[in-house]
Amino acid sequence: MSHNITKIIEGLRYSTLTATEVCNFESSNGSRDFRYEDTSLYLSPRGRFFLAGYGGPLSRWSRSDYGGYTGGEGLLPVTIAEARSFAEEHASAQTIAEFFEIEDA
C-alpha cells in the first residue's frame, strides 16, 4: 500500500510522492492488532533510501502519548545496508537485483 508522507530530516526532503516504492511489508495480523504495521521501502530521486508507513502502538511507528503508546505513522531514512536487509526480507529476488548490487555465490 502506498503512503502519502513528506518529511524534512537534516535539511533533506523525503517524500513518498516523488520516490519509487521498492517493496512493501504489511503484517499478517489485522489492522486492529497493536503489532500491526504497513511499511514500505522507498528510493528517492536522488538515490536515498527510506522507510515510510504506519502501525499500531507496538509497531516501529508507535509514538508516546500521555504516558503510554499509540499507533502512528512516520518516515525514517535508512542506510543502503538497512534498505538491502529490509528488501531481502520482503521483496522478490528480481526486485532486489533491480535496486541493489548483487553477486553470485
Side-chain angles (χ1 to χ4, degrees):
M1 174 181 293
S2 62
H3 308 92
N4 183 359
I5 302 171
T6 299
K7 203 168 183 185
I8 297 174
I9 301 170
E10 295 183 8
L12 299 171
R13 182 186 344 253
Y14 295 88
S15 176
T16 60
L17 299 174
T18 58
T20 300
E21 186 175 17
V22 176
C23 63
N24 174 264
F25 165 70
E26 183 176 7
S27 58
S28 59
N29 43 353
S31 62
R32 301 187 87 142
D33 189 289
F34 283 4
R35 293 173 307 246
Y36 175 80
E37 79 171 88
D38 183 344
T39 301
S40 291
L41 174 65
Y42 290 89
L43 178 62
S44 76
R46 298 191 61 144
R48 297 180 188 268
F49 286 100
F50 63 95
L51 296 174
Y54 59 90
L58 296 177
S59 74
R60 80 176 81 217
W61 305 113
S62 68
R63 56 185 169 86
S64 180
D65 188 35
Y66 299 105
Y69 290 93
T70 188
E73 69 175 23
L75 186 150
L76 178 66
V78 294
T79 66
I80 292 172
E82 291 168 327
R84 180 192 308 266
S85 179
F86 186 90
E88 287 177 353
E89 191 171 341
H90 303 295
S92 69
Q94 180 180 353
T95 298
I96 295 166
E98 182 180 340
F99 290 95
F100 300 95
E101 188 175 316
I102 304 298
E103 292 181 26
D104 288 328

